[in-house]
Amino acid sequence: MKNHRNYLKVTLDMFVIQLMWAFGVLGVLLIVQIFKLFFGNNTDQYYSAFFIIANIFTFVIGIIAIHFLPYYVENGVTRKDYFKGATLASIGLAIILPFLAWGISALTQLILQSISSLTFKEPNLDAMTNDGNLVGDIIQFLILTPYVNPENNLILSLGIFSLNILMYYLAGWLIGAAFYRYHTVIGLGFIAMTLAVLTLVNVLVRNTLNLPVLENYSFIDLPRNIAIPVIVLIALILIGSIRSITKDVTIKMH
Amino acid sequence: MNIKVENLNLNYGNHTALEDVSFELNENKIYGLLGRNGAGKTSLLSILASFNKPSKGAITVDGEDPFENANIMQHITFLYDKSYKNEAEDIINFLEGIERYRPNFDMSYAEELIEKFKLQKKKPIKEFSKGMQSALNVIIGLASRTPVTIFDEVYLGMDAPSRDIFYKELLKDQQDYPRMMILSTHLVSEMEYLFDEVILLNKGKVLLQEDFHSLISKGASITGNTEIVDDFVKNMRQINVKQLGGMKSVTIYGELHDDQKQAAVDKGLDVSPISLHDLFVHLTEEENE
């Protein structure tokens, strides 16, 4: 009996499960935002608040994504179908999450404006301060990925949001795959390499959008027509590396 | 289905887990895969289930390499002593997930087995006891009804009544839906009545592959006066010797014809059959000496 549609089932499975996790995060954030609105002075818009959390969230679920592999192989699904399914699910998630955040943000704004005079802070996610703390700067730079206000350009804003979280998901997945297959030391090497890649993508997207770049990275300044293909190439290299690590990996039995 | 294993080798660094393993399985029978700890049983089965690639040699299922082969992999189920410590789903949801990927999965049979093993439907699987988790493996293996079903020591932690349910259901379902079942086990004496054919693995090599009844008929225990026993077994393959004062008991392995049996009885010797358990212990002992 032929069964060529397994990757679509994997896509649906992984998309739904990860979306459920995302709903959990979106829900908790909404409660925090409501709490801050009523007990604080003012707060960020929901969209920009989720923007920051989403990178960390997708990075973490990317790391966890490798643990679906043994489940699928144990149930007779090939590594290739798992890979195709998980990749499609990650793209689907990267597209839908910004929409959800924007939808919730717009809705909360509408409700609040009709019942109160509370205002939201203008987000300032481009505070590129170099305080001399190297690790702090790197982490701040990694967390504050390029941001475009949806009120200025909705499509671009959602697109950049999607690109950021897709990159963080792929980075997490690559690290998870490396730890699954190799020794811890090699896994740590992958973390360092992946963080460098994320930083590079961050700078390149900022180059493309004409956003400020941290002084340490100002030496990277590519024109838009080169930066965009390089970003696409990096995404493809991340995906290709994940496939090459997982394509014949031994399934651990425990 | 046909499973052909040819000169299979598996190395982990310097350690050789499997060495030149060759055998063929052709029928929908229950195969017993026996071997001591570290004999290479799980390594062999993990290659068959595409968990692992061999270092050398080939394994084919219906002429095709099973590794990363979607058409073959969906028809092979490999259940082992797996920990479900992170599985937060309840058993029904979990089985419904598996059902999506197993073309012959029978959910109503799975539910029937859940009742028989008295598993709680609402409880997260991670809260199941070891025996209950083993019962879950049995349910997955039986209800998936894949043409090749492998149980690798799945009974661990199951109490005697649960193991009994497992054996009965295995035989019943095998009768109703014949398939190739491979049971890897240490509990030889408890499970020997299940096997149609036996493969004995020792130190990464196949020691023998034989029909259960013909294998059992090859072993015999000859007991009697030491000198008479010694004289009778001198040209036979002796796999175990026990001395009890002036009496001796020798376990022999090889064809023992009716006239030879009669001759032994005429000499006042006692000829008794031996169990698969004894054969397993003595044959692997002999090899390891």
mmCIF file of all heavy atoms in Angstrom, chain A residues 13-37:
data_model
loop_
_atom_site.group_PDB
_atom_site.id
_atom_site.type_symbol
_atom_site.label_atom_id
_atom_site.label_comp_id
_atom_site.label_asym_id
_atom_site.label_seq_id
_atom_site.Cartn_x
_atom_site.Cartn_y
_atom_site.Cartn_z
ATOM 1 N N ASP A 13 -0.083 17.802 12.065
ATOM 2 C CA ASP A 13 0.169 17.438 13.471
ATOM 3 C C ASP A 13 1.014 18.494 14.167
ATOM 4 O O ASP A 13 0.655 19.019 15.219
ATOM 5 C CB ASP A 13 0.997 16.142 13.552
ATOM 6 C CG ASP A 13 0.147 14.904 13.433
ATOM 7 O OD1 ASP A 13 -1.071 15.050 13.229
ATOM 8 O OD2 ASP A 13 0.701 13.790 13.528
ATOM 9 N N MET A 14 2.163 18.781 13.553
ATOM 10 C CA MET A 14 3.125 19.673 14.217
ATOM 11 C C MET A 14 2.622 21.108 14.240
ATOM 12 O O MET A 14 2.834 21.835 15.217
ATOM 13 C CB MET A 14 4.507 19.572 13.549
ATOM 14 C CG MET A 14 5.189 18.260 13.876
ATOM 15 S SD MET A 14 6.905 18.161 13.339
ATOM 16 C CE MET A 14 7.710 19.365 14.377
ATOM 17 N N PHE A 15 1.943 21.506 13.172
ATOM 18 C CA PHE A 15 1.392 22.866 13.126
ATOM 19 C C PHE A 15 0.373 23.055 14.250
ATOM 20 O O PHE A 15 0.435 24.031 15.003
ATOM 21 C CB PHE A 15 0.746 23.118 11.757
ATOM 22 C CG PHE A 15 0.126 24.481 11.623
ATOM 23 C CD1 PHE A 15 0.928 25.609 11.478
ATOM 24 C CD2 PHE A 15 -1.250 24.641 11.654
ATOM 25 C CE1 PHE A 15 0.359 26.873 11.368
ATOM 26 C CE2 PHE A 15 -1.830 25.899 11.542
ATOM 27 C CZ PHE A 15 -1.016 27.016 11.398
ATOM 28 N N VAL A 16 -0.530 22.092 14.390
ATOM 29 C CA VAL A 16 -1.599 22.219 15.399
ATOM 30 C C VAL A 16 -1.008 22.206 16.815
ATOM 31 O O VAL A 16 -1.338 23.058 17.644
ATOM 32 C CB VAL A 16 -2.652 21.094 15.228
ATOM 33 C CG1 VAL A 16 -3.609 21.059 16.406
ATOM 34 C CG2 VAL A 16 -3.425 21.290 13.928
ATOM 35 N N ILE A 17 -0.104 21.267 17.084
ATOM 36 C CA ILE A 17 0.478 21.177 18.438
ATOM 37 C C ILE A 17 1.217 22.469 18.793
ATOM 38 O O ILE A 17 1.023 23.045 19.866
ATOM 39 C CB ILE A 17 1.437 19.966 18.542
ATOM 40 C CG1 ILE A 17 0.646 18.666 18.461
ATOM 41 C CG2 ILE A 17 2.235 20.001 19.847
ATOM 42 C CD1 ILE A 17 1.499 17.421 18.339
ATOM 43 N N GLN A 18 2.048 22.928 17.857
ATOM 44 C CA GLN A 18 2.845 24.137 18.147
ATOM 45 C C GLN A 18 1.965 25.383 18.230
ATOM 46 O O GLN A 18 2.246 26.303 18.989
ATOM 47 C CB GLN A 18 3.963 24.278 17.106
ATOM 48 C CG GLN A 18 4.958 23.119 17.228
ATOM 49 C CD GLN A 18 6.059 23.134 16.186
ATOM 50 O OE1 GLN A 18 7.222 23.062 16.483
ATOM 51 N NE2 GLN A 18 5.690 23.234 14.932
ATOM 52 N N LEU A 19 0.890 25.371 17.450
ATOM 53 C CA LEU A 19 -0.044 26.503 17.518
ATOM 54 C C LEU A 19 -0.731 26.534 18.886
ATOM 55 O O LEU A 19 -0.957 27.603 19.461
ATOM 56 C CB LEU A 19 -1.079 26.388 16.394
ATOM 57 C CG LEU A 19 -1.966 27.613 16.175
ATOM 58 C CD1 LEU A 19 -1.133 28.835 15.798
ATOM 59 C CD2 LEU A 19 -3.017 27.351 15.094
ATOM 60 N N MET A 20 -1.032 25.339 19.400
ATOM 61 C CA MET A 20 -1.643 25.261 20.747
ATOM 62 C C MET A 20 -0.690 25.851 21.787
ATOM 63 O O MET A 20 -1.104 26.583 22.680
ATOM 64 C CB MET A 20 -1.961 23.803 21.124
ATOM 65 C CG MET A 20 -3.081 23.177 20.331
ATOM 66 S SD MET A 20 -4.611 24.081 20.580
ATOM 67 C CE MET A 20 -5.230 24.151 18.939
ATOM 68 N N TRP A 21 0.586 25.505 21.654
ATOM 69 C CA TRP A 21 1.583 26.075 22.582
ATOM 70 C C TRP A 21 1.591 27.592 22.435
ATOM 71 O O TRP A 21 1.670 28.328 23.421
ATOM 72 C CB TRP A 21 2.988 25.518 22.277
ATOM 73 C CG TRP A 21 3.145 24.052 22.542
ATOM 74 C CD1 TRP A 21 2.332 23.261 23.303
ATOM 75 C CD2 TRP A 21 4.182 23.193 22.040
ATOM 76 N NE1 TRP A 21 2.799 21.965 23.299
ATOM 77 C CE2 TRP A 21 3.924 21.894 22.542
ATOM 78 C CE3 TRP A 21 5.300 23.375 21.218
ATOM 79 C CZ2 TRP A 21 4.742 20.797 22.243
ATOM 80 C CZ3 TRP A 21 6.119 22.285 20.928
ATOM 81 C CH2 TRP A 21 5.826 21.018 21.444
ATOM 82 N N ALA A 22 1.528 28.050 21.163
ATOM 83 C CA ALA A 22 1.554 29.494 20.908
ATOM 84 C C ALA A 22 0.333 30.170 21.535
ATOM 85 O O ALA A 22 0.449 31.259 22.106
ATOM 86 C CB ALA A 22 1.596 29.751 19.406
ATOM 87 N N PHE A 23 -0.827 29.505 21.440
ATOM 88 C CA PHE A 23 -2.038 30.070 22.058
ATOM 89 C C PHE A 23 -1.819 30.250 23.559
ATOM 90 O O PHE A 23 -2.278 31.229 24.145
ATOM 91 C CB PHE A 23 -3.255 29.176 21.806
ATOM 92 C CG PHE A 23 -3.886 29.396 20.451
ATOM 93 C CD1 PHE A 23 -4.314 28.328 19.677
ATOM 94 C CD2 PHE A 23 -4.058 30.685 19.952
ATOM 95 C CE1 PHE A 23 -4.892 28.526 18.431
ATOM 96 C CE2 PHE A 23 -4.640 30.899 18.700
ATOM 97 C CZ PHE A 23 -5.051 29.814 17.931
ATOM 98 N N GLY A 24 -1.125 29.292 24.161
ATOM 99 C CA GLY A 24 -0.815 29.393 25.591
ATOM 100 C C GLY A 24 -0.022 30.660 25.875
ATOM 101 O O GLY A 24 -0.355 31.442 26.779
ATOM 102 N N VAL A 25 1.016 30.897 25.072
ATOM 103 C CA VAL A 25 1.868 32.078 25.265
ATOM 104 C C VAL A 25 1.077 33.357 24.986
ATOM 105 O O VAL A 25 1.143 34.332 25.747
ATOM 106 C CB VAL A 25 3.117 31.990 24.345
ATOM 107 C CG1 VAL A 25 3.933 33.278 24.415
ATOM 108 C CG2 VAL A 25 3.980 30.810 24.743
ATOM 109 N N LEU A 26 0.305 33.326 23.884
ATOM 110 C CA LEU A 26 -0.503 34.506 23.533
ATOM 111 C C LEU A 26 -1.491 34.825 24.663
ATOM 112 O O LEU A 26 -1.685 35.993 25.011
ATOM 113 C CB LEU A 26 -1.289 34.244 22.237
ATOM 114 C CG LEU A 26 -0.484 34.246 20.924
ATOM 115 C CD1 LEU A 26 -1.273 33.563 19.808
ATOM 116 C CD2 LEU A 26 -0.113 35.656 20.498
ATOM 117 N N GLY A 27 -2.070 33.793 25.240
ATOM 118 C CA GLY A 27 -3.050 33.962 26.317
ATOM 119 C C GLY A 27 -2.422 34.543 27.568
ATOM 120 O O GLY A 27 -2.944 35.509 28.146
ATOM 121 N N VAL A 28 -1.285 33.999 27.955
ATOM 122 C CA VAL A 28 -0.593 34.492 29.154
ATOM 123 C C VAL A 28 -0.191 35.954 28.950
ATOM 124 O O VAL A 28 -0.373 36.800 29.829
ATOM 125 C CB VAL A 28 0.648 33.614 29.476
ATOM 126 C CG1 VAL A 28 1.509 34.269 30.544
ATOM 127 C CG2 VAL A 28 0.215 32.222 29.923
ATOM 128 N N LEU A 29 0.302 36.254 27.760
ATOM 129 C CA LEU A 29 0.729 37.623 27.467
ATOM 130 C C LEU A 29 -0.464 38.587 27.536
ATOM 131 O O LEU A 29 -0.343 39.705 28.053
ATOM 132 C CB LEU A 29 1.384 37.690 26.083
ATOM 133 C CG LEU A 29 1.919 39.062 25.694
ATOM 134 C CD1 LEU A 29 3.050 39.502 26.609
ATOM 135 C CD2 LEU A 29 2.397 39.077 24.248
ATOM 136 N N LEU A 30 -1.603 38.118 27.042
ATOM 137 C CA LEU A 30 -2.802 38.965 27.068
ATOM 138 C C LEU A 30 -3.190 39.297 28.516
ATOM 139 O O LEU A 30 -3.505 40.446 28.842
ATOM 140 C CB LEU A 30 -3.957 38.249 26.356
ATOM 141 C CG LEU A 30 -5.239 39.059 26.161
ATOM 142 C CD1 LEU A 30 -4.984 40.298 25.311
ATOM 143 C CD2 LEU A 30 -6.324 38.203 25.508
ATOM 144 N N ILE A 31 -3.104 38.282 29.371
ATOM 145 C CA ILE A 31 -3.435 38.502 30.784
ATOM 146 C C ILE A 31 -2.453 39.501 31.406
ATOM 147 O O ILE A 31 -2.850 40.434 32.101
ATOM 148 C CB ILE A 31 -3.420 37.158 31.566
ATOM 149 C CG1 ILE A 31 -4.569 36.269 31.059
ATOM 150 C CG2 ILE A 31 -3.532 37.375 33.071
ATOM 151 C CD1 ILE A 31 -4.469 34.815 31.462
ATOM 152 N N VAL A 32 -1.172 39.323 31.095
ATOM 153 C CA VAL A 32 -0.146 40.241 31.630
ATOM 154 C C VAL A 32 -0.411 41.654 31.140
ATOM 155 O O VAL A 32 -0.353 42.625 31.910
ATOM 156 C CB VAL A 32 1.274 39.774 31.203
ATOM 157 C CG1 VAL A 32 2.325 40.829 31.545
ATOM 158 C CG2 VAL A 32 1.617 38.457 31.873
ATOM 159 N N GLN A 33 -0.751 41.796 29.865
ATOM 160 C CA GLN A 33 -1.008 43.111 29.282
ATOM 161 C C GLN A 33 -2.214 43.785 29.955
ATOM 162 O O GLN A 33 -2.177 44.962 30.261
ATOM 163 C CB GLN A 33 -1.275 42.983 27.776
ATOM 164 C CG GLN A 33 -0.064 42.598 26.959
ATOM 165 C CD GLN A 33 0.947 43.727 26.856
ATOM 166 O OE1 GLN A 33 1.912 43.779 27.616
ATOM 167 N NE2 GLN A 33 0.733 44.664 25.946
ATOM 168 N N ILE A 34 -3.261 42.988 30.158
ATOM 169 C CA ILE A 34 -4.464 43.540 30.800
ATOM 170 C C ILE A 34 -4.122 43.988 32.221
ATOM 171 O O ILE A 34 -4.477 45.077 32.659
ATOM 172 C CB ILE A 34 -5.605 42.488 30.805
ATOM 173 C CG1 ILE A 34 -6.088 42.254 29.371
ATOM 174 C CG2 ILE A 34 -6.766 42.947 31.684
ATOM 175 C CD1 ILE A 34 -7.020 41.075 29.200
ATOM 176 N N PHE A 35 -3.362 43.163 32.916
ATOM 177 C CA PHE A 35 -2.937 43.470 34.276
ATOM 178 C C PHE A 35 -2.146 44.780 34.298
ATOM 179 O O PHE A 35 -2.390 45.662 35.113
ATOM 180 C CB PHE A 35 -2.073 42.300 34.799
ATOM 181 C CG PHE A 35 -1.765 42.373 36.248
ATOM 182 C CD1 PHE A 35 -2.695 41.933 37.194
ATOM 183 C CD2 PHE A 35 -0.546 42.873 36.702
ATOM 184 C CE1 PHE A 35 -2.400 41.996 38.541
ATOM 185 C CE2 PHE A 35 -0.252 42.945 38.044
ATOM 186 C CZ PHE A 35 -1.179 42.503 38.977
ATOM 187 N N LYS A 36 -1.214 44.900 33.362
ATOM 188 C CA LYS A 36 -0.378 46.103 33.299
ATOM 189 C C LYS A 36 -1.199 47.340 32.957
ATOM 190 O O LYS A 36 -0.933 48.440 33.453
ATOM 191 C CB LYS A 36 0.732 45.923 32.253
ATOM 192 C CG LYS A 36 1.938 45.147 32.787
ATOM 193 C CD LYS A 36 2.901 44.763 31.710
ATOM 194 C CE LYS A 36 3.754 45.899 31.233
ATOM 195 N NZ LYS A 36 4.708 45.457 30.169
ATOM 196 N N LEU A 37 -2.229 47.167 32.100
ATOM 197 C CA LEU A 37 -3.078 48.292 31.716
ATOM 198 C C LEU A 37 -3.824 48.868 32.908
ATOM 199 O O LEU A 37 -3.944 50.068 33.063
ATOM 200 C CB LEU A 37 -4.098 47.829 30.667
ATOM 201 C CG LEU A 37 -3.684 47.945 29.209
ATOM 202 C CD1 LEU A 37 -4.745 47.332 28.322
ATOM 203 C CD2 LEU A 37 -3.459 49.401 28.829
#
